[in-house]
Amino acid sequence: LVAVYTKVPAEDLNAFLARYGVGEARSFKGISEGVENSNYLLSTTTGRFILTLYEKRVEAGDLPFFLALMEHAAARGVPTARPVADREGRALQTLCGRPAALIRFLDGVSVSAPTPAQAAAAGEALGRFHAATADFAQTRPNALGPDGWAALAARIGDGADRIAPGLTALIASELAALASAWPADLPRGTIHADLFPDNVLFVGDKVSGLIDFYFACTDIRAYDLAVMLTAWSFEGPMDRHRPETAAALVGGYRRAHALSAAEEAALPLLARGSCLRFLLTRAWDWLNTPADALVTRKDPMAFARRFAHFRDAT
Amino acid sequence: LVAVYTKVPAEDLNAFLARYGVGEARSFKGISEGVENSNYLLSTTTGRFILTLYEKRVEAGDLPFFLALMEHAAARGVPTARPVADREGRALQTLCGRPAALIRFLDGVSVSAPTPAQAAAAGEALGRFHAATADFAQTRPNALGPDGWAALAARIGDGADRIAPGLTALIASELAALASAWPADLPRGTIHADLFPDNVLFVGDKVSGLIDFYFACTDIRAYDLAVMLTAWSFEGPMDRHRPETAAALVGGYRRAHALSAAEEAALPLLARGSCLRFLLTRAWDWLNTPADALVTRKDPMAFARRFAHFRDAT
């Protein structure tokens, strides 16, 4: 499922920690949080932290945006992973030749089959995140918006038919349909852009943490809720739609942030875009990951199946 | 470096924890402890644990031996990972279709460049482990003893020359030399058999944990100390021998367990056997791991270089 790429020797860790006021290492374990970066769970004499070394899949130039965003949201009470600054006020460091950051540990467990109550809590947490970042001044383009989809589809070419016959044509028709219909006038803001159940920690039915901000960007705000509809409201190998979970996501969001009639009406279309985004990146990874690699390839076809639901609704 | 193979959904985790009296899950992270098994760091409302799912590289039939050994040593005050029994007294469980065990978490950090003081403490911990297991009644043959080396060398065949020219001949000559010289009359006992620096946790210079007992077996007791000499007392890419570390390992061991003159005299020969054992398993993994896999292949040649030191001493 997962890989830690960079091994941090204890000696380097101790030199790194000396920059901070967080005490000395008590334990230090590589963890499998995401495949893009190397992550360690660190316990010190003063608390628990995640130490992240950013590997090449994350652009180093984007890191100040991500870290500032996490700090901004956490400072406003959103339960987000919070970077720790060293004694000189810097959150972004270098360790073992890689950009690195120390982030406060959040309790909680992600769920693979969220209940409607958990979906409502997660939707509300997204609304709180949007409210808290209304005054976040930094911006970052969405590399995986409509332009990015077209570029990725071109790189995949007809390779998609090796995953499933007809997939190339399905991608082309969705790209064309979304290019002409994609809304231009919906409110924009800072979005998480990848709020799958993997990225929400719960203690019981309460959200204890939003994590993995490394796709965050500036884009149509309601698209973030559409990503959640795509990711949370289907179940089982046939991706059966669960309307009560979808309603809970939207209802929960509304408890924390307004959603205009125009935004709500656009959700099925935005969700089609979200299906295409995850279909394309998974298809690319599928075609470029050896079948015998230790990383589990995620099935791109889940999002082809979910297309149909949202297309019928638009 | 590492892979978690089996993903445990939160729902399965909760059902599993209900068998125990350890409270409810507060956090749950896949960790990269060893490549043979899937390991999770679990925090509950009562403490911290490692949850291990045993993958196919560990023989399920050996698990009762490993778990009983860990319990036996921990109960006698050796700082070893200790299995937790469920409400019905069972340590060995099934989770997600795999054998599984819940083990108490140990604080501490493994060091990559041990100091002589740390080597002495680790040698002493090995001595305490040997003293504590003198009355451990279960036995397990060493699958990676002389017979195992010959079988593995035969499977590798002349593939070793693809790693380094001449390696096949070196292996053959060491196999023959050790087969005729291997001692038959040294004291036997329960040995860890893999006590590399990776498998010893420290808080400062104090040993807080011995971990990874999944090569433990019944064999020549001094061979365990020879494995440590092989693994701990060389440094740098040229594997320069560090005599002060070697002396610290032996001196530390003697603080906790006797070492006869015959055992001490046999250490260089036993260490040649240890070099061959790790050379062979690393060579096998090297030849059978794709170069682009996410698991780092460990260099077999480190042990070819260490041969020379011990051969000169025998």
Side-chain angles (χ1 to χ4, degrees):
Chain A
L1 180 64
V2 154
V4 172
Y5 295 87
T6 303
K7 185 169 165 76
V8 179
E11 297 80 0
D12 297 64
L13 173 68
N14 291 336
F16 176 82
L17 286 181
R19 298 180 205 164
Y20 292 85
V22 298
E24 290 170 17
R26 295 288 301 189
S27 76
F28 186 57
K29 307 277 185 197
I31 61 172
S32 54
E33 198 109 298
V35 293
E36 282 83 10
N37 302 316
S38 300
N39 286 290
Y40 288 87
L41 201 164
L42 168 71
S43 293
T44 75
T45 42
T46 70
R48 285 185 292 164
F49 305 88
I50 301 287
L51 171 63
T52 299
L53 280 73
Y54 298 96
E55 306 290 347
K56 59 190 171 194
R57 283 185 74 153
V58 174
E59 285 282 340
D62 286 335
L63 290 171
F65 173 87
F66 298 139
L67 293 171
L69 173 60
M70 292 155 73
E71 172 61 28
H72 184 100
R76 282 150 186 81
V78 182
T80 46
R82 186 169 197 169
V84 183
D86 69 7
R87 290 198 173 87
E88 296 175 14
R90 292 173 308 203
L92 184 57
Q93 305 278 345
T94 299
L95 179 59
C96 295
R98 285 160 179 76
L102 191 63
I103 293 165
R104 285 191 197 288
F105 183 83
L106 294 167
D107 259 338
V109 177
S110 59
V111 293
S112 54
T115 63
Q118 289 167 332
E124 181 174 356
L126 180 70
R128 290 176 60 196
F129 174 71
H130 286 174
T133 55
D135 63 341
F136 183 64
Q138 297 186 42
T139 62
R140 176 178 177 263
N142 186 1
L144 291 168
D147 292 347
W149 308 335
L152 188 50
R155 287 169 74 196
I156 292 170
D158 57 12
D161 282 339
R162 299 211 308 273
I163 299 171
L167 188 56
T168 303
L170 176 67
I171 289 170
S173 71
E174 273 302 292
L175 265 182
L178 293 173
S180 62
W182 200 245
D185 51 359
L186 291 177
R188 298 168 64 82
T190 306
I191 67 171
H192 182 285
D194 190 34
L195 204 56
F196 276 56
D198 278 359
N199 291 332
V200 179
L201 303 177
F202 287 96
V203 173
D205 287 345
K206 192 169 147 43
V207 172
S208 58
L210 305 181
I211 62 174
D212 203 350
F213 285 79
Y214 304 109
F215 290 102
C217 56
T218 315
D219 205 339
I220 296 170
R221 203 167 49 216
Y223 177 72
D224 229 2
L225 187 54
V227 169
M228 291 192 80
L229 289 170
T230 308
W232 290 64
S233 61
F234 295 85
E235 73 176 1
M238 298 303 291
D239 292 289
R240 189 170 63 86
H241 187 244
R242 298 175 62 202
E244 71 286 9
T245 302
L249 286 165
V250 176
Y253 184 84
R254 280 214 159 100
R255 294 204 297 250
H257 199 285
L259 188 71
S260 72
E263 287 177 305
E264 185 164 15
L267 285 174
L269 180 70
L270 296 171
R272 278 171 65 181
S274 166
C275 285
L276 184 59
R277 174 256 185 268
F278 291 103
L279 170 60
L280 287 167
T281 52
R282 287 194 179 184
W284 175 261
D285 288 344
W286 188 272
L287 294 167
N288 292 284
T289 303
D292 61 352
L294 289 167
V295 173
T296 300
R297 304 186 299 181
K298 292 180 181 170
D299 179 14
M301 295 310 291
F303 293 99
R305 291 189 290 271
R306 294 173 194 196
F307 264 140
H309 170 79
F310 294 115
R311 196 171 40 204
D312 294 348
T314 47
Chain B
L1 180 63
V2 155
V4 172
Y5 295 88
T6 303
K7 186 167 165 74
V8 179
E11 298 79 0
D12 296 66
L13 173 68
N14 291 337
F16 176 82
L17 285 181
R19 299 180 204 164
Y20 292 86
V22 298
E24 289 168 18
R26 295 288 303 190
S27 76
F28 186 58
K29 307 277 188 199
I31 62 172
S32 55
E33 197 107 298
V35 292
E36 282 83 10
N37 302 316
S38 301
N39 287 290
Y40 288 86
L41 202 165
L42 168 71
S43 293
T44 75
T45 41
T46 69
R48 283 186 293 165
F49 305 88
I50 301 287
L51 172 63
T52 300
L53 281 71
Y54 298 97
E55 306 290 349
K56 58 191 173 194
R57 282 184 73 155
V58 174
E59 285 281 341
D62 286 336
L63 291 171
F65 173 87
F66 298 140
L67 294 172
L69 173 60
M70 292 155 74
E71 171 61 29
H72 184 100
R76 281 152 187 80
V78 183
T80 46
R82 186 169 197 168
V84 184
D86 69 7
R87 290 196 174 88
E88 298 176 13
R90 291 172 308 203
L92 184 57
Q93 304 278 346
T94 299
L95 179 58
C96 296
R98 285 160 178 79
L102 191 63
I103 293 165
R104 287 194 193 288
F105 183 84
L106 294 166
D107 259 339
V109 177
S110 59
V111 294
S112 54
T115 64
Q118 289 167 331
E124 182 175 357
L126 181 69
R128 289 177 61 197
F129 173 71
H130 287 173
T133 55
D135 63 342
F136 182 64
Q138 298 186 40
T139 62
R140 177 178 176 263
N142 186 0
L144 291 168
D147 292 347
W149 307 336
L152 188 51
R155 287 170 72 196
I156 292 169
D158 57 11
D161 282 339
R162 299 211 309 273
I163 299 171
L167 188 55
T168 303
L170 176 67
I171 289 170
S173 71
E174 273 303 291
L175 263 182
L178 293 173
S180 63
W182 200 244
D185 51 359
L186 291 177
R188 299 169 62 83
T190 307
I191 66 170
H192 182 285
D194 190 36
L195 205 56
F196 275 56
D198 278 359
N199 291 331
V200 178
L201 303 177
F202 287 94
V203 173
D205 286 347
K206 192 167 147 40
V207 172
S208 58
L210 305 180
I211 62 174
D212 203 348
F213 285 80
Y214 304 109
F215 291 103
C217 55
T218 315
D219 206 338
I220 296 170
R221 203 167 50 217
Y223 177 72
D224 229 3
L225 187 54
V227 169
M228 292 192 79
L229 289 170
T230 308
W232 289 65
S233 61
F234 295 85
E235 74 177 2
M238 297 304 290
D239 292 290
R240 190 169 63 85
H241 187 245
R242 298 175 63 202
E244 70 287 7
T245 302
L249 286 166
V250 175
Y253 183 85
R254 279 214 159 98
R255 294 204 297 249
H257 198 285
L259 188 70
S260 72
E263 287 177 304
E264 185 164 15
L267 284 175
L269 181 69
L270 296 172
R272 279 172 63 182
S274 166
C275 285
L276 184 59
R277 174 255 185 268
F278 291 103
L279 170 59
L280 287 168
T281 52
R282 287 194 180 183
W284 175 262
D285 288 344
W286 188 272
L287 294 167
N288 292 283
T289 303
D292 60 353
L294 289 166
V295 172
T296 301
R297 303 185 301 178
K298 293 180 180 170
D299 179 13
M301 296 311 291
F303 293 98
R305 291 188 291 271
R306 293 172 195 197
F307 263 139
H309 170 79
F310 294 115
R311 196 171 41 205
D312 294 347
T314 48

